Amino acid sequence: QVQLQQSGPGLVTPSQTLSLTCVISGDSVSTKTVSWNWIRQSPSRGLEWLGRTYYRSYWYNDNEPSFRGRLIIDADTSRNQFSLHLSSLTPEDTAVYYCARGVSVGATLLDSWGQGTQVIVSS
Amino acid sequence: EIVLTQSPATLSLSPGDGVTLSCRASHSVGNLLAWFQHRPGQAPRLLIYDASNRATGIPARFSGRGSGTDFSLTISGLEPEDFATYYCQQRSQWLTFGGGTKVEIK
């Protein structure tokens, strides 16, 4: 059974970059039939899918259009983990951030989730 | 963007009650709709995928139906651990979530 363990800061300064990591156990970040996703939840915006990375002989990324330009999701095969890097933070980025595995056709069925990381953007 | 609208926002029920939650999509998503259960402080839990298939380990009291734009999740006989917030999510065009229905104890 796959388990996802998240880590990262709980408080970030506006204009800075948020980096969160999701360590995978029970699967490989390089598995060719899955994707590795980031989702966030805030009271004002509800649940939002941010983007994903996946390996199909090459590494690919898909990001929700509104986050393009300031979101990078990458993978570290040596540590079997993937990470989110969200730049130019504003208080509107305050949310609980989740990592999740995507499976099934298109690797878009989110079947396993991390425990969540509360992130507050404030000076 | 496909918008998912869930209703009602909140339901106050008692253990043993049956309940049906609704999710309506702004455009057809075929059967590419999932339901999640979310308890405070926990990871969301996949209940139903592709509109009507129960995920591994999900009790039979949870059932889903629908296609196109109208979907429902039925819980037949609420257990104490079922009081939570339920979200629908489509994966036909990117991924979007509904606003959730909170099932609370009356």
Side-chain angles (χ1 to χ4, degrees), chain A residues 39 41 47-49 62-65 68 98 103-105 108-111 113-115, chain B residues 1 34 36 38 41-46 48-50 87 89 91 94-98:
Chain A
I39 303 99
Q41 183 177 33
L47 282 161
E48 291 180 282
W49 175 77
D62 296 319
N63 289 350
E64 208 284 333
R68 285 179 189 159
Y98 296 94
V103 297
S104 190
V105 176
T108 51
L109 177 63
L110 305 176
D111 74 330
W113 294 58
Q115 80 279 14
Chain B
E1 175 182 316
F36 293 87
H38 195 193
Q42 297 187 16
R45 178 191 183 197
L46 176 65
I48 301 289
Y49 66 95
D50 295 350
Y87 295 94
Q89 177 248 317
R91 59 193 184 99
W94 295 113
L95 287 79
T96 57
F97 295 84

Side-chain angles (χ1 to χ4, degrees), chain A residues 4-12 18-23 38-42 50 84 93-99 113-121, chain B residues 38 41-44:
Chain A
L4 304 176
Q5 182 65 43
Q6 298 179 220
S7 63
L11 179 64
V12 191
L18 169 68
S19 292
L20 298 174
T21 295
C22 185
V23 177
W38 287 97
I39 303 99
R40 71 181 185 182
Q41 183 177 33
S42 64
L50 303 181
L84 167 149
D93 294 310
T94 294
V96 178
Y97 287 74
Y98 296 94
C99 59
W113 294 58
Q115 80 279 14
T117 301
Q118 173 71 60
V119 174
I120 297 172
V121 181
Chain B
H38 195 193
Q42 297 187 16

Side-chain angles (χ1 to χ4, degrees), chain B residues 31-103:
Chain B
N31 71 334
L32 296 178
L33 188 109
W35 289 92
F36 293 87
Q37 178 190 67
H38 195 193
R39 301 188 188 110
Q42 297 187 16
R45 178 191 183 197
L46 176 65
L47 299 176
I48 301 289
Y49 66 95
D50 295 350
S52 60
N53 298 289
R54 273 190 303 275
T56 303
I58 301 304
R61 65 180 181 273
F62 292 93
S63 62
R65 61 182 300 169
S67 66
T69 60
D70 290 300
F71 300 87
S72 62
L73 172 71
T74 296
I75 311 172
S76 57
L78 284 163
E79 298 287 341
E81 62 269 25
D82 298 337
F83 290 91
T85 301
Y86 293 83
Y87 295 94
C88 58
Q89 177 248 317
Q90 66 80 25
R91 59 193 184 99
S92 173
Q93 186 182 104
W94 295 113
L95 287 79
T96 57
F97 295 84
T101 293
K102 182 178 182 180
V103 178

